Every structure is written in structure tokens, then in C-alpha cells.
Coordinates of all heavy atoms in Angstrom, one line a residue:
M1 N -7.2 26.2 -2.5 CA -7.7 24.8 -2.6 C -6.9 24.2 -3.8 O -6.8 24.8 -4.8 CB -9.2 24.8 -3.0 CG -9.8 23.6 -2.4 SD -11.6 23.6 -2.8 CE -12.2 24.6 -1.4
P2 N -6.3 23.1 -3.5 CA -5.4 22.5 -4.6 C -6.3 21.9 -5.7 O -7.4 21.4 -5.5 CB -4.6 21.4 -3.9 CG -5.5 21.0 -2.7 CD -6.3 22.2 -2.3
I3 N -5.7 21.9 -6.9 CA -6.4 21.3 -8.0 C -5.7 19.9 -8.3 O -4.4 19.9 -8.4 CB -6.3 22.1 -9.3 CG1 -7.1 23.4 -9.1 CG2 -6.8 21.4 -10.5 CD1 -6.8 24.5 -10.2
Y4 N -6.4 18.9 -8.3 CA -5.9 17.6 -8.5 C -6.2 17.1 -9.9 O -7.3 17.4 -10.4 CB -6.4 16.5 -7.5 CG -6.0 16.8 -6.1 CD1 -6.9 17.2 -5.2 CD2 -4.6 16.7 -5.8 CE1 -6.5 17.5 -3.9 CE2 -4.2 17.0 -4.5 CZ -5.1 17.4 -3.5 OH -4.7 17.7 -2.3
E5 N -5.3 16.4 -10.5 CA -5.5 15.8 -11.8 C -5.6 14.3 -11.7 O -4.8 13.7 -11.0 CB -4.3 16.2 -12.7 CG -4.6 16.0 -14.2 CD -3.5 16.4 -15.1 OE1 -2.7 17.3 -14.7 OE2 -3.4 15.8 -16.2
Y6 N -6.5 13.8 -12.5 CA -6.8 12.3 -12.5 C -6.5 11.8 -13.8 O -6.9 12.4 -14.8 CB -8.2 12.0 -12.0 CG -8.4 12.3 -10.5 CD1 -8.8 13.5 -10.1 CD2 -8.1 11.3 -9.6 CE1 -8.9 13.7 -8.7 CE2 -8.3 11.5 -8.3 CZ -8.7 12.7 -7.8 OH -8.8 13.0 -6.5
R7 N -6.0 10.6 -13.8 CA -5.8 9.8 -15.1 C -6.3 8.4 -14.9 O -6.1 7.9 -13.8 CB -4.3 9.8 -15.5 CG -3.6 11.1 -15.6 CD -3.1 11.3 -17.0 NE -2.7 12.7 -17.1 CZ -3.0 13.4 -18.2 NH1 -3.7 12.9 -19.2 NH2 -2.5 14.7 -18.3
P8 N -6.8 7.8 -15.9 CA -7.2 6.4 -15.8 C -6.0 5.5 -15.5 O -5.0 5.6 -16.1 CB -7.9 6.1 -17.1 CG -7.2 7.0 -18.1 CD -6.9 8.3 -17.3
S9 N -6.3 4.5 -14.6 CA -5.2 3.6 -14.3 C -5.0 2.5 -15.4 O -4.0 2.0 -15.7 CB -5.4 2.9 -13.0 OG -6.7 2.6 -12.8
E10 N -6.2 2.2 -16.0 CA -6.1 1.3 -17.2 C -6.8 1.9 -18.4 O -6.4 3.0 -18.8 CB -6.7 -0.1 -16.8 CG -5.8 -0.9 -15.9 CD -6.6 -2.0 -15.2 OE1 -7.6 -2.5 -15.9 OE2 -6.2 -2.4 -14.1
K11 N -7.8 1.3 -18.9 CA -8.6 1.9 -20.0 C -9.7 2.8 -19.4 O -10.3 2.4 -18.4 CB -9.2 0.8 -20.8 CG -8.4 0.3 -22.0 CD -9.1 -0.6 -22.9 CE -8.2 -1.2 -23.9 NZ -8.9 -2.3 -24.6
G12 N -10.0 3.8 -20.1 CA -11.0 4.7 -19.6 C -11.9 5.2 -20.8 O -11.6 4.8 -21.9
C13 N -12.8 6.1 -20.5 CA -13.6 6.7 -21.5 C -12.9 7.9 -22.1 O -11.8 8.2 -21.6 CB -15.0 7.0 -20.9 SG -14.9 8.3 -19.7
S14 N -13.5 8.6 -23.0 CA -12.9 9.7 -23.6 C -12.7 10.8 -22.6 O -11.8 11.7 -22.7 CB -13.8 10.2 -24.8 OG -15.0 10.6 -24.3
Y15 N -13.5 10.8 -21.5 CA -13.4 11.9 -20.5 C -12.2 11.7 -19.7 O -11.3 12.6 -19.5 CB -14.7 11.8 -19.7 CG -14.7 12.8 -18.5 CD1 -14.7 14.2 -18.7 CD2 -14.6 12.4 -17.2 CE1 -14.7 15.1 -17.7 CE2 -14.7 13.3 -16.1 CZ -14.7 14.6 -16.4 OH -14.7 15.5 -15.3
C16 N -12.0 10.5 -19.1 CA -10.9 10.3 -18.2 C -9.6 9.9 -18.9 O -8.5 10.1 -18.3 CB -11.2 9.2 -17.1 SG -11.7 7.6 -17.8
T17 N -9.6 9.4 -20.1 CA -8.4 9.1 -20.8 C -7.6 10.4 -21.1 O -6.4 10.4 -21.0 CB -8.7 8.5 -22.2 OG1 -9.4 7.3 -22.0 CG2 -7.4 8.1 -22.9
R18 N -8.3 11.5 -21.3 CA -7.7 12.8 -21.5 C -7.1 13.3 -20.2 O -6.3 14.2 -20.2 CB -8.7 13.7 -22.1 CG -8.2 14.6 -23.2 CD -9.3 15.5 -23.8 NE -10.0 16.2 -22.7 CZ -11.4 16.3 -22.6 NH1 -12.1 15.8 -23.6 NH2 -11.9 16.9 -21.6
G19 N -7.6 12.8 -19.1 CA -7.3 13.4 -17.8 C -8.2 14.5 -17.5 O -8.6 15.2 -18.3
F20 N -8.6 14.5 -16.2 CA -9.4 15.6 -15.8 C -9.0 16.2 -14.5 O -8.3 15.5 -13.7 CB -10.9 15.2 -15.7 CG -11.2 14.0 -14.7 CD1 -11.6 14.3 -13.5 CD2 -11.0 12.7 -15.1 CE1 -11.8 13.2 -12.6 CE2 -11.2 11.6 -14.3 CZ -11.6 11.9 -13.0
D21 N -9.3 17.4 -14.3 CA -8.9 18.1 -13.0 C -10.1 18.3 -12.1 O -11.2 18.4 -12.6 CB -8.4 19.5 -13.3 CG -7.2 19.5 -14.3 OD1 -6.4 18.6 -14.1 OD2 -7.1 20.4 -15.1
T22 N -9.9 18.2 -10.9 CA -11.0 18.5 -10.0 C -10.4 19.3 -8.8 O -9.3 19.1 -8.3 CB -11.7 17.2 -9.5 OG1 -12.8 17.5 -8.7 CG2 -10.7 16.3 -8.8
L23 N -11.3 20.2 -8.3 CA -10.9 21.0 -7.2 C -11.4 20.3 -5.9 O -12.6 19.9 -5.8 CB -11.7 22.3 -7.3 CG -11.1 23.6 -6.7 CD1 -9.7 23.9 -7.2 CD2 -12.0 24.7 -7.0
Q24 N -10.5 20.0 -5.0 CA -10.8 19.3 -3.8 C -10.2 19.9 -2.6 O -9.1 20.5 -2.7 CB -10.3 17.8 -3.9 CG -11.1 16.9 -4.8 CD -10.6 15.5 -4.6 OE1 -9.5 15.2 -4.9 NE2 -11.4 14.7 -4.0
K25 N -10.8 19.7 -1.5 CA -10.2 20.1 -0.2 C -9.1 19.1 0.0 O -9.1 17.9 -0.3 CB -11.2 20.0 0.9 CG -12.2 21.2 0.9 CD -13.0 21.2 2.2 CE -14.4 21.7 1.9 NZ -15.4 20.8 2.3
M26 N -8.1 19.5 0.8 CA -7.0 18.6 1.1 C -7.5 17.4 1.9 O -7.0 16.3 1.8 CB -6.0 19.3 2.1 CG -5.2 20.4 1.4 SD -3.9 19.8 0.4 CE -2.5 20.6 1.2
S27 N -8.6 17.6 2.7 CA -9.1 16.6 3.5 C -10.0 15.6 2.8 O -10.3 14.5 3.3 CB -9.9 17.2 4.7 OG -10.9 18.1 4.2
D28 N -10.4 16.0 1.5 CA -11.3 15.1 0.8 C -10.5 13.8 0.4 O -9.3 13.9 0.0 CB -11.7 15.8 -0.5 CG -12.9 16.8 -0.2 OD1 -13.4 16.8 0.9 OD2 -13.2 17.5 -1.1
A29 N -11.2 12.7 0.4 CA -10.6 11.5 -0.1 C -10.4 11.6 -1.6 O -11.2 12.1 -2.3 CB -11.5 10.3 0.2
P30 N -9.3 11.0 -2.1 CA -9.1 11.0 -3.5 C -10.1 10.2 -4.3 O -10.6 9.2 -3.8 CB -7.7 10.4 -3.7 CG -7.3 9.8 -2.5 CD -8.1 10.4 -1.4
I31 N -10.5 10.7 -5.5 CA -11.4 10.0 -6.3 C -10.7 8.7 -6.8 O -9.6 8.7 -7.2 CB -11.8 10.9 -7.5 CG1 -12.6 12.1 -7.0 CG2 -12.7 10.1 -8.5 CD1 -12.9 13.2 -8.0
T32 N -11.5 7.6 -6.8 CA -10.8 6.3 -7.2 C -11.4 5.8 -8.5 O -10.9 4.9 -9.1 CB -11.0 5.2 -6.2 OG1 -12.4 5.1 -5.8 CG2 -10.2 5.6 -4.9
C33 N -12.6 6.4 -8.9 CA -13.1 6.0 -10.2 C -13.7 7.1 -11.0 O -14.1 8.1 -10.4 CB -14.1 4.8 -10.1 SG -15.5 5.2 -9.0
C34 N -13.7 7.0 -12.3 CA -14.2 8.0 -13.2 C -15.6 8.3 -13.0 O -16.4 7.3 -12.9 CB -13.9 7.6 -14.6 SG -14.7 8.7 -15.9
P35 N -16.0 9.5 -12.9 CA -17.5 9.8 -12.7 C -18.3 9.5 -13.9 O -19.5 9.4 -13.8 CB -17.5 11.3 -12.4 CG -16.2 11.9 -12.9 CD -15.2 10.8 -12.8
R36 N -17.7 9.3 -15.0 CA -18.5 9.0 -16.3 C -18.6 7.5 -16.5 O -19.7 7.0 -16.8 CB -17.9 9.7 -17.5 CG -17.7 11.2 -17.3 CD -18.6 11.9 -18.3 NE -18.6 13.3 -18.0 CZ -18.2 14.2 -19.0 NH1 -18.0 13.9 -20.2 NH2 -18.2 15.5 -18.7
C37 N -17.4 6.8 -16.5 CA -17.4 5.4 -16.9 C -17.2 4.5 -15.7 O -17.4 3.3 -15.8 CB -16.4 5.2 -18.0 SG -14.7 5.3 -17.4
G38 N -16.7 5.0 -14.6 CA -16.6 4.2 -13.4 C -15.3 3.4 -13.4 O -15.0 2.6 -12.5
N39 N -14.4 3.5 -14.4 CA -13.1 2.8 -14.4 C -12.2 3.5 -13.3 O -12.4 4.6 -13.0 CB -12.5 2.9 -15.8 CG -12.9 1.8 -16.7 OD1 -12.8 0.6 -16.3 ND2 -13.3 2.1 -17.9
G40 N -11.3 2.7 -12.9 CA -10.3 3.2 -11.9 C -9.5 4.3 -12.4 O -9.0 4.3 -13.5
V41 N -9.3 5.3 -11.6 CA -8.4 6.4 -11.9 C -7.4 6.6 -10.8 O -7.7 6.2 -9.6 CB -9.2 7.8 -12.2 CG1 -10.0 7.7 -13.5 CG2 -10.1 8.1 -11.0
R42 N -6.3 7.2 -11.1 CA -5.3 7.5 -10.1 C -5.0 9.0 -10.1 O -5.1 9.7 -11.1 CB -4.1 6.7 -10.2 CG -3.3 7.0 -11.5 CD -2.3 6.0 -11.8 NE -1.9 6.1 -13.2 CZ -0.9 7.0 -13.6 NH1 -0.3 7.8 -12.7 NH2 -0.6 7.1 -14.9
R43 N -4.7 9.5 -8.9 CA -4.4 11.0 -8.8 C -3.0 11.2 -9.2 O -2.1 10.5 -8.8 CB -4.7 11.4 -7.4 CG -4.8 12.9 -7.3 CD -5.4 13.3 -6.0 NE -4.5 13.1 -4.9 CZ -4.8 13.4 -3.6 NH1 -6.0 13.8 -3.3 NH2 -3.9 13.2 -2.7
V44 N -2.7 12.2 -10.0 CA -1.4 12.6 -10.4 C -1.2 14.1 -10.0 O -2.1 14.8 -9.7 CB -1.1 12.5 -11.9 CG1 -1.2 11.0 -12.3 CG2 -2.0 13.3 -12.7
I45 N 0.1 14.5 -9.9 CA 0.4 15.8 -9.5 C -0.2 16.8 -10.5 O 0.0 16.6 -11.7 CB 1.9 16.0 -9.3 CG1 2.3 15.1 -8.1 CG2 2.2 17.5 -9.0 CD1 3.8 15.0 -8.0
S46 N -0.8 17.8 -10.1 CA -1.4 18.8 -11.0 C -0.3 19.4 -11.8 O 0.8 19.7 -11.4 CB -2.1 19.8 -10.2 OG -2.4 20.9 -11.1
R47 N -0.6 19.6 -13.1 CA 0.4 20.2 -14.0 C 0.7 21.6 -13.6 O 1.7 22.2 -14.0 CB -0.1 20.2 -15.5 CG -1.5 20.8 -15.7 CD -1.9 20.9 -17.1 NE -3.3 21.1 -17.3 CZ -4.2 20.1 -17.5 NH1 -3.7 18.9 -17.7 NH2 -5.4 20.3 -17.6
F48 N -0.2 22.2 -12.8 CA 0.1 23.6 -12.4 C 1.3 23.7 -11.4 O 1.9 24.8 -11.4 CB -1.1 24.2 -11.7 CG -2.3 24.3 -12.6 CD1 -3.3 23.4 -12.6 CD2 -2.3 25.3 -13.6 CE1 -4.4 23.5 -13.4 CE2 -3.4 25.4 -14.4 CZ -4.4 24.5 -14.4
S49 N 1.6 22.6 -10.7 CA 2.7 22.7 -9.8 C 3.8 21.8 -10.2 O 4.8 21.7 -9.6 CB 2.3 22.4 -8.4 OG 1.7 21.1 -8.4
A50 N 3.6 21.0 -11.3 CA 4.6 20.0 -11.7 C 5.9 20.5 -12.2 O 6.9 19.9 -12.1 CB 3.9 19.0 -12.7
C51 N 5.8 21.7 -12.9 CA 7.1 22.2 -13.4 C 7.1 23.7 -13.3 O 6.1 24.4 -13.4 CB 7.2 21.7 -14.9 SG 5.9 22.3 -15.9
T52 N 8.3 24.2 -13.2 CA 8.5 25.6 -13.2 C 9.3 25.9 -14.5 O 10.3 25.3 -14.7 CB 9.3 26.1 -12.0 OG1 10.4 25.3 -11.8 CG2 8.4 26.0 -10.8
V53 N 8.9 26.9 -15.2 CA 9.5 27.2 -16.5 C 10.3 28.5 -16.3 O 9.8 29.5 -15.7 CB 8.5 27.4 -17.6 CG1 9.2 27.7 -18.9 CG2 7.7 26.1 -17.8
E54 N 11.5 28.5 -16.8 CA 12.3 29.7 -16.7 C 11.9 30.6 -17.8 O 12.0 30.3 -19.0 CB 13.8 29.4 -16.8 CG 14.6 30.4 -16.1 CD 16.0 29.9 -15.9 OE1 16.9 30.0 -16.8 OE2 16.3 29.3 -14.8
T55 N 11.4 31.8 -17.5 CA 10.9 32.7 -18.6 C 11.9 33.8 -18.7 O 12.9 33.9 -18.0 CB 9.5 33.3 -18.2 OG1 9.7 34.1 -17.0 CG2 8.5 32.2 -17.9
A56 N 11.6 34.7 -19.7 CA 12.5 35.8 -19.9 C 12.5 36.8 -18.7 O 13.4 37.5 -18.6 CB 12.0 36.5 -21.2
D57 N 11.5 36.7 -17.9 CA 11.4 37.6 -16.8 C 12.1 37.1 -15.6 O 12.2 37.7 -14.6 CB 9.9 37.8 -16.4 CG 9.1 38.4 -17.5 OD1 9.7 39.2 -18.3 OD2 8.0 38.0 -17.7
S58 N 12.6 35.8 -15.7 CA 13.2 35.2 -14.5 C 14.5 35.9 -14.1 O 15.3 36.2 -14.9 CB 13.5 33.7 -14.9 OG 14.6 33.3 -14.2
P59 N 14.6 36.3 -12.8 CA 15.8 37.0 -12.4 C 17.1 36.2 -12.5 O 18.1 36.7 -12.8 CB 15.5 37.3 -10.9 CG 14.4 36.4 -10.5 CD 13.6 36.0 -11.8
S60 N 17.0 34.9 -12.4 CA 18.2 34.1 -12.5 C 18.7 34.1 -13.9 O 20.0 34.1 -14.2 CB 17.9 32.6 -12.1 OG 17.1 32.0 -12.9
L61 N 17.8 34.1 -14.9 CA 18.3 34.2 -16.3 C 19.0 35.6 -16.5 O 20.1 35.6 -17.1 CB 17.1 34.1 -17.3 CG 17.3 34.5 -18.7 CD1 18.3 33.4 -19.4 CD2 16.0 34.5 -19.5
E62 N 18.4 36.6 -16.0 CA 19.0 38.0 -16.2 C 20.4 38.0 -15.5 O 21.3 38.5 -16.0 CB 18.0 39.0 -15.5 CG 18.4 40.4 -15.7 CD 18.6 40.9 -17.1 OE1 17.9 40.4 -18.0 OE2 19.6 41.7 -17.4
N63 N 20.4 37.4 -14.3 CA 21.7 37.3 -13.6 C 22.8 36.6 -14.4 O 23.9 37.1 -14.5 CB 21.5 36.6 -12.3 CG 20.8 37.5 -11.2 OD1 20.7 38.7 -11.4 ND2 20.4 36.9 -10.2
K64 N 22.4 35.5 -15.0 CA 23.3 34.7 -15.8 C 23.8 35.5 -17.0 O 25.0 35.5 -17.3 CB 22.7 33.4 -16.3 CG 23.2 32.2 -15.6 CD 22.6 30.9 -16.2 CE 21.5 30.3 -15.3 NZ 20.7 29.3 -16.0
L65 N 22.9 36.2 -17.7 CA 23.2 37.0 -18.8 C 24.2 38.1 -18.4 O 25.2 38.3 -19.1 CB 22.0 37.6 -19.4 CG 21.2 36.8 -20.3 CD1 19.8 37.4 -20.7 CD2 21.9 36.4 -21.6
Q66 N 23.9 38.8 -17.3 CA 24.8 39.9 -16.9 C 26.2 39.3 -16.5 O 27.2 40.0 -16.7 CB 24.1 40.6 -15.7 CG 23.0 41.5 -16.2 CD 22.3 42.2 -15.0 OE1 22.7 42.1 -13.9 NE2 21.3 42.9 -15.3
D67 N 26.1 38.1 -15.9 CA 27.4 37.5 -15.6 C 28.3 37.3 -16.8 O 29.4 37.6 -16.8 CB 27.0 36.2 -14.9 CG 28.0 35.8 -13.8 OD1 28.5 36.7 -13.1 OD2 28.4 34.6 -13.8
Y68 N 27.7 36.6 -17.8 CA 28.4 36.4 -19.0 C 28.9 37.7 -19.6 O 30.0 37.8 -20.1 CB 27.5 35.7 -20.1 CG 27.3 34.2 -19.8 CD1 26.1 33.6 -20.0 CD2 28.3 33.4 -19.3 CE1 25.9 32.3 -19.8 CE2 28.2 32.1 -19.1 CZ 26.9 31.5 -19.3 OH 26.7 30.1 -19.1
E69 N 28.0 38.7 -19.7 CA 28.3 40.0 -20.3 C 29.4 40.7 -19.6 O 30.3 41.3 -20.2 CB 27.1 40.8 -20.4 CG 26.1 40.3 -21.5 CD 24.7 41.0 -21.5 OE1 24.5 41.8 -20.6 OE2 23.9 40.7 -22.3
S70 N 29.4 40.6 -18.3 CA 30.4 41.3 -17.5 C 31.8 40.7 -17.6 O 32.8 41.3 -17.5 CB 30.0 41.4 -16.0 OG 30.0 40.1 -15.4
Q71 N 31.8 39.4 -18.0 CA 33.0 38.7 -18.2 C 33.5 38.7 -19.7 O 34.5 38.1 -20.0 CB 32.9 37.3 -17.7 CG 32.8 37.1 -16.2 CD 32.6 35.7 -15.8 OE1 33.4 34.8 -16.1 NE2 31.4 35.4 -15.2
G72 N 32.6 39.4 -20.5 CA 33.0 39.5 -21.9 C 32.7 38.2 -22.6 O 33.3 37.9 -23.7
M73 N 31.9 37.3 -22.0 CA 31.6 36.0 -22.7 C 30.4 36.2 -23.6 O 29.3 35.7 -23.3 CB 31.4 34.9 -21.7 CG 32.6 34.7 -20.8 SD 32.3 33.8 -19.3 CE 32.0 32.1 -19.9
W74 N 30.6 37.0 -24.6 CA 29.4 37.5 -25.4 C 28.7 36.3 -26.2 O 27.5 36.4 -26.3 CB 29.9 38.5 -26.5 CG 30.6 39.7 -25.8 CD1 31.9 40.1 -25.9 CD2 30.0 40.6 -25.0 NE1 32.1 41.2 -25.2 CE2 31.0 41.6 -24.6 CE3 28.7 40.8 -24.5 CZ2 30.7 42.6 -23.7 CZ3 28.4 41.9 -23.6 CH2 29.4 42.8 -23.3
S75 N 29.5 35.4 -26.7 CA 28.8 34.3 -27.4 C 28.0 33.5 -26.5 O 26.9 33.0 -26.9 CB 29.8 33.5 -28.2 OG 30.8 32.9 -27.3
H76 N 28.4 33.3 -25.2 CA 27.7 32.5 -24.2 C 26.4 33.3 -23.9 O 25.3 32.7 -23.9 CB 28.4 32.4 -22.9 CG 29.5 31.3 -23.0 ND1 30.6 31.4 -23.7 CD2 29.5 30.0 -22.5 CE1 31.4 30.3 -23.6 NE2 30.7 29.5 -22.9
A77 N 26.5 34.6 -23.7 CA 25.4 35.4 -23.4 C 24.4 35.4 -24.6 O 23.2 35.3 -24.4 CB 25.8 36.9 -23.1
A78 N 24.9 35.5 -25.8 CA 24.1 35.5 -27.0 C 23.3 34.2 -27.1 O 22.1 34.3 -27.4 CB 24.9 35.8 -28.2
E79 N 24.0 33.1 -26.9 CA 23.3 31.8 -27.0 C 22.2 31.7 -26.0 O 21.1 31.2 -26.3 CB 24.4 30.7 -26.8 CG 24.4 29.7 -27.9 CD 25.6 28.8 -27.7 OE1 25.5 27.9 -26.9 OE2 26.6 29.0 -28.4
L80 N 22.5 32.1 -24.8 CA 21.5 32.0 -23.7 C 20.3 32.9 -24.0 O 19.1 32.5 -23.9 CB 22.1 32.4 -22.4 CG 21.2 32.3 -21.1 CD1 20.7 30.9 -20.9 CD2 22.0 32.8 -19.9
A81 N 20.6 34.1 -24.5 CA 19.5 35.1 -24.8 C 18.7 34.5 -25.9 O 17.4 34.6 -25.9 CB 20.1 36.4 -25.1
D82 N 19.4 34.0 -26.9 CA 18.7 33.4 -28.1 C 17.8 32.3 -27.7 O 16.6 32.3 -28.1 CB 19.8 32.9 -29.1 CG 19.3 32.8 -30.5 OD1 18.2 33.4 -30.8 OD2 20.0 32.2 -31.3
K83 N 18.3 31.4 -26.9 CA 17.4 30.2 -26.4 C 16.3 30.7 -25.6 O 15.2 30.0 -25.5 CB 18.3 29.3 -25.5 CG 18.9 28.1 -26.3 CD 19.4 27.1 -25.4 CE 20.6 27.6 -24.6 NZ 21.4 26.6 -23.8
S84 N 16.4 31.8 -24.9 CA 15.4 32.3 -24.0 C 14.4 33.2 -24.7 O 13.5 33.8 -24.1 CB 16.0 33.0 -22.8 OG 17.0 32.2 -22.3
G85 N 14.6 33.4 -26.0 CA 13.6 34.2 -26.8 C 13.9 35.7 -26.7 O 13.1 36.5 -27.1
L86 N 15.1 36.1 -26.2 CA 15.4 37.5 -26.1 C 16.2 37.9 -27.4 O 17.5 38.0 -27.4 CB 16.2 37.8 -24.9 CG 15.6 37.4 -23.6 CD1 16.6 37.5 -22.4 CD2 14.4 38.3 -23.3
Q87 N 15.5 38.0 -28.5 CA 16.2 38.1 -29.8 C 17.1 39.4 -29.9 O 18.2 39.3 -30.4 CB 15.2 38.1 -30.9 CG 14.3 36.9 -31.1 CD 15.2 35.6 -31.1 OE1 16.3 35.6 -31.6 NE2 14.6 34.5 -30.6
D88 N 16.6 40.5 -29.4 CA 17.3 41.8 -29.5 C 18.6 41.7 -28.7 O 19.7 42.1 -29.2 CB 16.5 42.9 -29.0 CG 15.3 43.2 -29.9 OD1 15.3 42.7 -31.0 OD2 14.4 44.0 -29.5
R89 N 18.5 41.1 -27.5 CA 19.6 41.0 -26.6 C 20.6 40.0 -27.3 O 21.9 40.3 -27.2 CB 19.1 40.4 -25.3 CG 20.2 40.2 -24.2 CD 20.5 41.5 -23.5 NE 21.2 41.3 -22.3 CZ 20.7 41.3 -21.1 NH1 19.4 41.4 -20.9 NH2 21.5 41.1 -20.0
A90 N 20.1 39.0 -27.9 CA 21.0 38.0 -28.5 C 21.8 38.6 -29.7 O 23.0 38.4 -29.8 CB 20.2 36.8 -29.1
M91 N 21.1 39.4 -30.5 CA 21.7 40.1 -31.7 C 22.8 41.0 -31.2 O 23.9 41.0 -31.7 CB 20.7 40.9 -32.4 CG 19.7 40.1 -33.2 SD 20.5 39.1 -34.5 CE 20.6 40.4 -35.8
D92 N 22.5 41.7 -30.1 CA 23.5 42.7 -29.5 C 24.7 41.9 -29.1 O 25.9 42.3 -29.4 CB 22.8 43.3 -28.3 CG 23.1 44.7 -28.2 OD1 23.1 45.4 -29.3 OD2 23.3 45.2 -27.1
D93 N 24.5 40.8 -28.3 CA 25.6 40.1 -27.8 C 26.4 39.4 -28.9 O 27.6 39.3 -28.9 CB 25.2 39.0 -26.8 CG 24.7 39.7 -25.5 OD1 25.2 40.8 -25.2 OD2 23.9 39.1 -24.8
Y94 N 25.7 38.9 -29.9 CA 26.4 38.3 -31.1 C 27.3 39.3 -31.8 O 28.4 39.0 -32.1 CB 25.4 37.7 -32.1 CG 24.9 36.3 -31.8 CD1 23.5 36.0 -31.8 CD2 25.8 35.3 -31.6 CE1 23.1 34.8 -31.6 CE2 25.3 34.0 -31.3 CZ 24.0 33.8 -31.3 OH 23.5 32.5 -31.0
K95 N 26.8 40.5 -31.9 CA 27.6 41.6 -32.5 C 28.9 41.8 -31.7 O 30.0 42.0 -32.2 CB 26.8 42.9 -32.7 CG 26.0 42.9 -33.9 CD 25.2 44.1 -34.0 CE 24.0 43.9 -35.0 NZ 22.9 44.8 -34.7
K96 N 28.7 41.9 -30.4 CA 29.8 42.1 -29.5 C 30.8 41.0 -29.5 O 32.0 41.1 -29.3 CB 29.4 42.4 -28.1 CG 28.7 43.7 -27.9 CD 28.1 43.9 -26.5 CE 27.4 45.2 -26.4 NZ 26.4 45.2 -25.3
A97 N 30.3 39.8 -29.8 CA 31.1 38.6 -29.9 C 31.9 38.6 -31.2 O 32.8 37.7 -31.4 CB 30.3 37.3 -29.8
G98 N 31.6 39.5 -32.1 CA 32.3 39.6 -33.4 C 31.6 39.0 -34.6 O 32.2 38.9 -35.6
Y99 N 30.4 38.6 -34.4 CA 29.6 38.0 -35.5 C 29.1 39.1 -36.3 O 28.7 40.2 -35.8 CB 28.5 37.1 -35.0 CG 28.9 35.8 -34.4 CD1 29.1 35.8 -33.0 CD2 29.0 34.7 -35.1 CE1 29.5 34.6 -32.4 CE2 29.3 33.5 -34.5 CZ 29.6 33.4 -33.2 OH 30.0 32.3 -32.6
N100 N 29.1 38.9 -37.6 CA 28.5 39.9 -38.5 C 27.2 39.4 -39.1 O 27.1 38.3 -39.5 CB 29.5 40.3 -39.7 CG 30.5 41.3 -39.2 OD1 30.1 42.3 -38.5 ND2 31.7 41.1 -39.6
F101 N 26.2 40.3 -39.2 CA 25.0 39.9 -39.7 C 24.7 40.8 -41.0 O 25.0 41.9 -41.0 CB 23.8 40.1 -38.7 CG 23.9 39.1 -37.6 CD1 24.5 39.4 -36.4 CD2 23.6 37.7 -37.8 CE1 24.6 38.5 -35.4 CE2 23.7 36.8 -36.8 CZ 24.2 37.2 -35.5
Ligands
LIG1 ZN1 -14.0 7.5 -17.7

């Protein structure tokens, strides 16, 4: 069952201004007003599906790192690892790139 998120279309109460989620069937009509204050609300895409974050476990990140490393592009690999929170990997690649710590 999808989770829908609602936001007030204009001014709302403390409940709807923050935005609220509701579990609805696909066939249910969208909610048009806040259950607390009755102001108009609009449905927005749920934050659960709105973005995909590339994490350290992401295979594409690992592929990119291996790609850089296999081509000897150590500083590129190090930078990518660093940005992705892979500190050990970054240090390793920085050393290979000729940086001294
Ligand atoms: Zn409200």
C-alpha cells in the first residue's frame, strides 16, 4: 500500500504545515483537506520514493571505484571514496596517488 504525503496548499495548522503521511489504497480518493483544521491540502510524492541515495553499498559506486583504480586514476578514486564516506579506501588511494600523510 503506498504512503502518500500531504502538504497544505496555503496556510495550515501545526499538523498539516509540517506535512503528514497517510496510508491509502490506490483506489482511495486523495484527501483534499486537513483532518485537523480543514484547510486545503495537496498530495505530494512520498519522500520514500522521491529520491534514491547512492550509498557505500551501491554496486555502481564500487564499479566506478574499481574502474578508476584499474586505470591508475588514484586521485579520482580517492576523491570518490572520500565523498562516499569510505575513509579507509580513500586513504589507500590517496597514498597510491602519491600523497603523503
Ligand atoms: Zn491543518
Side-chain angles (χ1 to χ4, degrees):
M1 213 179 277
I3 294 168
Y4 294 111
E5 190 179 336
Y6 287 90
R7 302 240 172 226
S9 41
E10 289 165 25
K11 268 188 188 165
C13 64
S14 61
Y15 178 67
C16 58
T17 302
R18 221 178 49 223
F20 60 94
D21 301 324
T22 183
L23 205 59
Q24 283 190 296
K25 285 189 211 125
M26 291 283 238
S27 55
D28 282 351
I31 295 170
T32 54
C33 57
C34 172
R36 302 247 176 124
C37 67
N39 272 311
V41 290
R42 66 196 163 81
R43 194 164 75 180
V44 296
I45 297 166
S46 166
R47 55 174 162 260
F48 295 102
S49 58
C51 60
T52 50
V53 180
E54 206 164 89
T55 66
D57 302 322
S58 152
S60 66
L61 170 66
E62 184 57 35
N63 284 348
K64 251 185 257 170
L65 279 171
Q66 284 178 6
D67 210 40
Y68 284 143
E69 288 170 357
S70 69
Q71 292 177 60
M73 298 164 76
W74 302 114
S75 57
H76 283 73
E79 230 170 81
L80 182 61
D82 202 14
K83 263 193 296 192
S84 310
L86 303 170
Q87 300 307 330
D88 292 347
R89 182 81 167 260
M91 288 298 274
D92 222 39
D93 288 334
Y94 274 131
K95 275 179 200 152
K96 286 172 183 160
Y99 289 90
N100 277 317
F101 292 101

